[in-house]
């Protein structure tokens, strides 16, 4: 008997042992499983989808019939949009099991078959792929899962010649104003949406299980212009935009005289020289300084006549890793300045000229890209900074990725200069120039405003015109959304049925070529408890009040140690903000290998056991409404002129925080683009509902607390003590990173006093077998993502319930969510459950009798 008791005690101690440094163990959720157990939420979906009619707008939210609906979804991408029939049935059943009630069909147009719906001509829908898509949508419908159909995502329209680097990817911005591309978008829409699905009997324009039609993903004329994507635009695109600009001007001004009077001419005499002539080769406070970062190697020499020679010997990892600058400069907003110099290079170079802050946040006050040839040339620029700064600098950058020699003579920067219409610009002749983003500050403020207003009007006409085409010409009955508010101003998108946002916490950064799997990194730090609210503030402060708001792409990227926080945080605060939809990007299996048992690089979710296990709690928090909605705002929207000036002066798509709203306000109450300026909110921040607390101090960081009647949780750093969530005590005892996600979700029952059943989710580190970090900070694995099976950590934690232990039983669950092994519950008046690595699972079931 003594030996048996010792063995039982040892077993219990192993199961409760802190997981810090513990070995990861295999845990693979079957790709085709829909087991009927506590983790199956399929009954939450009304079946079939659309049985009560189309999804409609009811005020500022989404409804089906008279009932409010919130969407929790995933993205299906590329060839995975068209699985075979058997696979489609299994995928639909599994998605419903995890509480998913909508699928966004994305990147259907980006590649030819078998990775997309289009044939090799990139215009004709492939009959076989379309048939499989039809069946998949019908299978989802049977499981109560709606669809969101995307019309343009990644197709490079055939037959159009680009202008080399940097032609915008997927023709972003250009396809907002270039009529032949718009017509090609409409052709695709006609072919897809007027097609009749043989498995539902409906055309997609008439299909109630299609909740949303999305016009053009992550696309916007204003945004693409602002980031410089249209600066080097060639014909016929430049000519088309020029014609539209002239028509806009003629509708506004009688003649060139009226135009000149409205825009004015700013001319001021040149003042004293601002630049120091000396070069500080090793860096200093004045004169020219050479800055090298990221392994870049270069030498700066100065001749007796003051001319500079920059010899670039080895590139760095990003364009700014080699740059020349002069600091100790002061600029005044809207004051003309004139920069001039003479330059040549041993090979053609493109350099970035910037007047910028010499301190965080390093904002640009003026910027322009120029090309330096092999022959001597004089350069002269007049500009007016977008804002003033007493601690600024002039930078010659963009040199960090190349080698060669650059020579500069007679550099001068002086206050004064001429701003306004240039010689030969006449309204009657149609020669008033379109402006690249790097030319804007050489014009008067009035001209800048007119140019941005023109782009605003052109972009608005594209989105509203395409919505009108879908609804009037095609007769589409699903709701229409345009694009995302980080790519297009929220007031423009607010003219459509639904407003959308995208956000990623620590999206992988590619310092060289885009999506170079050998050269990328992530920051690998948690978001929970962060001052400034991370992606949640980015989204919430761009919401357009009065319209449904959804987030069709969200993720915290693999291989971060902190992926388990993604859905619980977004779901909890999305519910607080009263959003209408949340989609994880993406479900995965781009190549159709659904049974791989491993995470496919950055965004795969279907084979990520931590991400998938978190769906259950997220569905309760968001869909079921376990987190109460915060009180709404009634603040007036900023005038359109405020948005125009913000776009004129900054490189970011405007949001309320750029206009002074405190970012942490998104943690306390409902916010939007109308949220007014106000003082910062210090951490911790409690929601006005009292159910969420952001920024509690922990052992090595901060934590978010969830405390609602049916959901409890700790997300973030180990607190070092138990947290009492209104009678439910939660304590993270140990984890590999002193960090974890511990969630208690009441699946059945009224409250935690029972009777009922509770799901405990304990989510920590996850990766593939054999994943290998390449640096000490664990920011990249290169292509070493490992192989099957996925492995996870088992958090050590303690949960106490306000009921006697005699009323409680508990089990560790297997990969299908079935009861695998019963766990001893201790305590008398307060039932206590201790979990740990020894149970080799992510989730547990508690039954309260």
């Amino acid at each position: 008997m003594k030996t048996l008791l010792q063995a039982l005690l040892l077993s219990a101690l192993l199961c409760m042992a802190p997981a810090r440094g513990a070995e990861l163990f295999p845990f693979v959720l079957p790709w085709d499983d829909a087991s009927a157990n506590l983790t199956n939420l399929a009954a939450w979906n009304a079946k079939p989808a659309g049985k009560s009619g189309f999804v409609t707008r009811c005020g500022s939210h989404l409804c089906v019939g008279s009932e409010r609906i919130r969407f929790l979804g995933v993205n299906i991408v590329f060839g995975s949009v068209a699985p075979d029939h058997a696979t489609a049935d299994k995928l639909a059943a599994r998605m419903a099991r995890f509480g998913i009630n909508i699928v966004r069909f994305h990147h259907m147009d980006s590649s030819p078959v078998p990775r997309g719906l289009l044939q090799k001509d990139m215009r004709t829908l492939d009959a076989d792929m379309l048939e499989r898509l039809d069946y998949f949508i019908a299978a989802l419908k049977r499981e109560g899962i709606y669809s969101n159909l995307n019309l343009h995502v990644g197709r490079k329209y055939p037959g159009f010649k680009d202008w080399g680097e940097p032609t915008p990817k997927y023709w972003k911005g250009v396809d907002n104003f270039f009529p032949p591309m718009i017509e090609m978008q409409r052709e695709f829409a006609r072919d897809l949406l007027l097609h009749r699905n043989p498995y539902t009997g409906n055309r997609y324009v008439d299909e109630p299980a299609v909740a949303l039609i999305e016009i053009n993903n992550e696309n916007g004329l204003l945004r693409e212009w602002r980031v410089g994507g249209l600066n080097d635009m060639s014909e016929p695109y430049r000519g088309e935009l020029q014609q539209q600009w002239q028509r806009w001007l003629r509708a506004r001004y009688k003649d060139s005289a009226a135009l000149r009077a409205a825009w004015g001419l700013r001319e001021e005499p040149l003042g004293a020289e601002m630049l120091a002539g000396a070069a500080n080769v090793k860096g200093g406070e004045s004169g020219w300084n050479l800055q090298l970062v990221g392994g870049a190697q270069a030498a700066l020499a100065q001749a007796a006549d003051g001319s500079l020679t920059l010899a670039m010997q080895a590139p760095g990892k990003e364009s700014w890793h080699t740059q020349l600058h002069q600091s100790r400069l002061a600029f005044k907003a809207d004051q003309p300045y004139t920069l001039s110099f003479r330059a040549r290079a041993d090979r053609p170079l493109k350099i970035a000229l910037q007047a910028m802050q010499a301190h965080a946040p390093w904002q640009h006050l003026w910027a322009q890209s120029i090309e330096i040839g092999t022959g001597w040339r004089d350069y002269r620029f007049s500009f007016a900074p977008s804002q003033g700064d007493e601690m600024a600098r002039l930078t010659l950058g963009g040199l960090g990725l190349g080698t060669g020699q650059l020579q500069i003579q007679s550099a001068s920067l002086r206050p004064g200069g001429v701003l306004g219409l240039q010689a030969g610009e006449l309204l009657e002749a149609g020669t008033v120039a379109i402006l690249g983003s790097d030319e804007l500050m050489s014009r008067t403020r009035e001209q800048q405003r007119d140019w941005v207003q023109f782009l605003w009007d052109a972009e608005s006409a594209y989105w509203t015109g395409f919505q009108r085409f879908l609804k009037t010409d095609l007769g589409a009955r699903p709701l229409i959304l345009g694009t995302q508010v980080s790519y297009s101003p929220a007031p423009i998108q607010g003219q459509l049925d639904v407003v959308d946002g995208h956000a990623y916490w620590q999206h992988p950064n590619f310092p060289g070529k885009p999506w170079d799997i050998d050269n990328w990194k992530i920051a690998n730090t948690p978001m929970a408890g962060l001052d400034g609210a991370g992606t949640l503030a980015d989204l919430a402060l761009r919401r357009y009040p009065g319209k449904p708001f959804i987030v069709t792409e969200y993720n915290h990227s693999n291989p971060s140690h902190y992926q388990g926080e993604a859905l619980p945080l977004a779901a909890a605060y999305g519910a607080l903000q009263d959003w209408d939809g949340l989609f994880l990007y993406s479900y995965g299996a781009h190549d159709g290998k659904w049974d791989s048992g491993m995470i496919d690089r950055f965004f795969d979710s279907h084979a990520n056991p931590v991400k998938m296990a978190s769906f259950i709690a997220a569905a309760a928090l968001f869909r079921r409404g376990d987190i109460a909605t915060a009180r709404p705002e009634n603040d007036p929207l900023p005038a359109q002129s405020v948005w125009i000036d913000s776009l004129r002066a900054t490189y970011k798509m405007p949001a309320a925080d750029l206009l002074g709203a405190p970012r942490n306000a998104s943690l306390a109450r409902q916010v939007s683009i109308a949220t007014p300026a106000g003082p910062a909110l210090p951490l911790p921040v409690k929601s006005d509902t009292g159910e969420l607390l952001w920024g509690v101090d922990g052992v090595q960081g901060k934590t978010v607390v969830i405390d609602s009647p049916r959901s409890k949780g700790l997300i973030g750093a180990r607190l070092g003590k138990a947290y009492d969530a209104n009678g439910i005590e939660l304590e993270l005892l140990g984890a590999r990173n002193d960090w974890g996600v511990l969630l208690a979700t009441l699946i059945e029952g009224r409250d935690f006093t029972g009777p009922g059943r509770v799901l405990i989710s304990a989510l920590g580190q996850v990766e593939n077998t054999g994943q290998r970090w390449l640096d000490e900070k664990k920011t990249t694995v290169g292509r070493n993502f490992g192989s099957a099976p996925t492995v996870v950590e088992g958090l050590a934690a303690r949960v106490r319930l306000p009921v006697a232990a005699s009323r409680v039983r508990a089990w560790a669950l297997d990969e299908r969510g079935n009861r695998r092994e019963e766990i001893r519950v201790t305590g008398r008046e307060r039932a206590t459950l201790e979990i740990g690595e020894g149970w080799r699972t992510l989730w547990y079931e508690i039954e309260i009798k």
Side-chain angles (χ1 to χ4, degrees), residues 25-30 33 35-39 97-98 609 613 759-760 811-823 839-845:
F25 55 87
F27 199 78
V28 177
L29 303 184
D33 175 55
S35 300
N37 53 44
L38 186 71
T39 66
R97 168 261 176 89
F98 281 104
L759 178 69
I760 301 295
W811 296 265
L813 305 181
D814 66 14
E815 291 87 342
R816 296 179 181 272
N818 294 323
R819 296 172 177 177
R820 184 175 62 195
E821 187 174 0
E822 188 162 4
I823 300 174
W839 298 110
R840 301 178 75 80
T841 188
L842 298 179
W843 44 17
Y844 303 82
E845 179 181 346

Side-chain angles (χ1 to χ4, degrees), residues 174-238:
V174 181
D175 65 358
N176 284 200
F177 72 84
F178 193 60
M181 290 182 182
I182 295 173
E183 179 51 41
M184 203 168 285
Q185 295 171 51
R186 293 185 175 191
E187 176 186 73
F188 180 85
R190 288 188 198 97
D191 292 347
L192 177 64
L193 300 178
L194 296 181
H195 161 76
R196 191 177 300 278
N197 184 332
Y199 301 103
T200 66
N202 296 324
R203 301 181 306 167
Y204 285 121
V205 292
D206 303 317
E207 176 53 71
V210 174
L212 301 163
I213 297 172
E214 183 176 325
I215 297 172
N216 205 332
N217 174 71
E218 293 186 351
N219 200 317
L221 173 58
L222 273 161
R223 192 259 184 190
E224 199 59 40
W225 164 78
R226 205 65 186 89
V227 300
L230 306 182
N231 287 354
D232 299 323
M233 189 164 49
S234 64
E235 298 297 342
Y237 320 107
R238 175 173 289 273

Side-chain angles (χ1 to χ4, degrees), residues 76-78 104-112 115-118 122-123 149-158 168-172 175 181 184-185 188 214-219 462 483-484 502 515 553 585:
I76 288 283
V77 297
F78 295 106
R104 181 176 183 240
F105 286 90
H106 191 62
H107 274 300
M108 297 188 293
D109 67 328
S110 300
S111 301
R115 284 178 50 80
L117 292 186
L118 293 168
M122 294 304 288
R123 294 188 70 169
L149 301 180
N150 293 187
L151 299 180
H152 180 254
V153 179
R155 180 165 61 138
K156 189 172 181 180
Y157 309 105
K169 194 174 184 181
Y170 313 138
W171 292 106
K172 291 182 181 182
D175 65 358
M181 290 182 182
M184 203 168 285
Q185 295 171 51
F188 180 85
E214 183 176 325
I215 297 172
N216 205 332
N217 174 71
E218 293 186 351
N219 200 317
Y462 165 75
T483 195
Q484 291 68 45
H502 286 176
W515 298 104
E553 289 186 24
Y585 185 92

Side-chain angles (χ1 to χ4, degrees), residues 193-354:
L193 300 178
L194 296 181
H195 161 76
R196 191 177 300 278
N197 184 332
Y199 301 103
T200 66
N202 296 324
R203 301 181 306 167
Y204 285 121
V205 292
D206 303 317
E207 176 53 71
V210 174
L212 301 163
I213 297 172
E214 183 176 325
I215 297 172
N216 205 332
N217 174 71
E218 293 186 351
N219 200 317
L221 173 58
L222 273 161
R223 192 259 184 190
E224 199 59 40
W225 164 78
R226 205 65 186 89
V227 300
L230 306 182
N231 287 354
D232 299 323
M233 189 164 49
S234 64
E235 298 297 342
Y237 320 107
R238 175 173 289 273
E240 175 61 36
L241 193 61
Q242 175 82 19
Q243 290 180 28
Q244 293 183 26
W245 171 227
Q246 306 309 308
R247 287 196 295 270
W248 189 91
L249 289 173
R250 291 190 189 103
R252 196 176 183 95
Y253 300 105
K254 179 181 178 181
D255 52 27
S256 295
L259 187 65
R260 194 172 293 110
W263 287 357
L265 180 67
R266 186 86 180 271
E267 184 172 7
E268 294 187 9
L270 296 180
E273 180 60 54
M274 298 172 63
L275 297 181
N280 291 288
V281 177
K282 295 183 180 180
E285 290 298 320
S286 64
W288 290 105
N289 292 275
L290 172 61
Q291 181 178 353
L292 300 173
V293 182
Q297 297 179 23
L300 178 64
Q302 185 174 32
D305 62 0
S307 62
L308 301 173
T309 299
L310 176 63
M312 296 168 285
Q313 299 145 352
K317 296 179 180 179
E318 299 196 40
S319 62
W320 57 272
H321 284 178
T322 299
Q323 56 186 11
L324 292 175
H325 62 79
Q326 284 211 23
S327 299
R328 287 188 167 182
L329 300 178
F331 291 102
K332 295 180 180 180
D334 296 318
Q335 160 71 45
Y337 294 85
T338 297
L339 171 67
S340 62
F341 58 90
R342 183 174 172 80
R344 71 176 180 181
D346 62 349
R347 61 177 181 82
L349 288 177
K350 179 174 284 189
I351 69 173
L353 306 176
Q354 299 158 348

Side-chain angles (χ1 to χ4, degrees), residues 221-222 225-226 245 248 435 440-441 445-459 489 492 640-650 654:
L221 173 58
L222 273 161
W225 164 78
R226 205 65 186 89
W245 171 227
W248 189 91
L435 301 178
L440 190 70
M441 296 304 168
R445 178 179 290 193
E446 293 75 18
Q447 185 175 356
Q448 294 173 30
R449 285 174 173 155
D450 263 6
W451 171 251
V452 176
Q453 184 69 62
F454 158 69
L455 293 176
W456 181 290
D457 292 348
E459 179 170 339
I492 290 179
Q640 189 180 112
S641 60
V642 174
W643 286 78
I644 296 296
D645 271 343
S646 182
L647 285 161
R648 181 184 64 82
T650 69

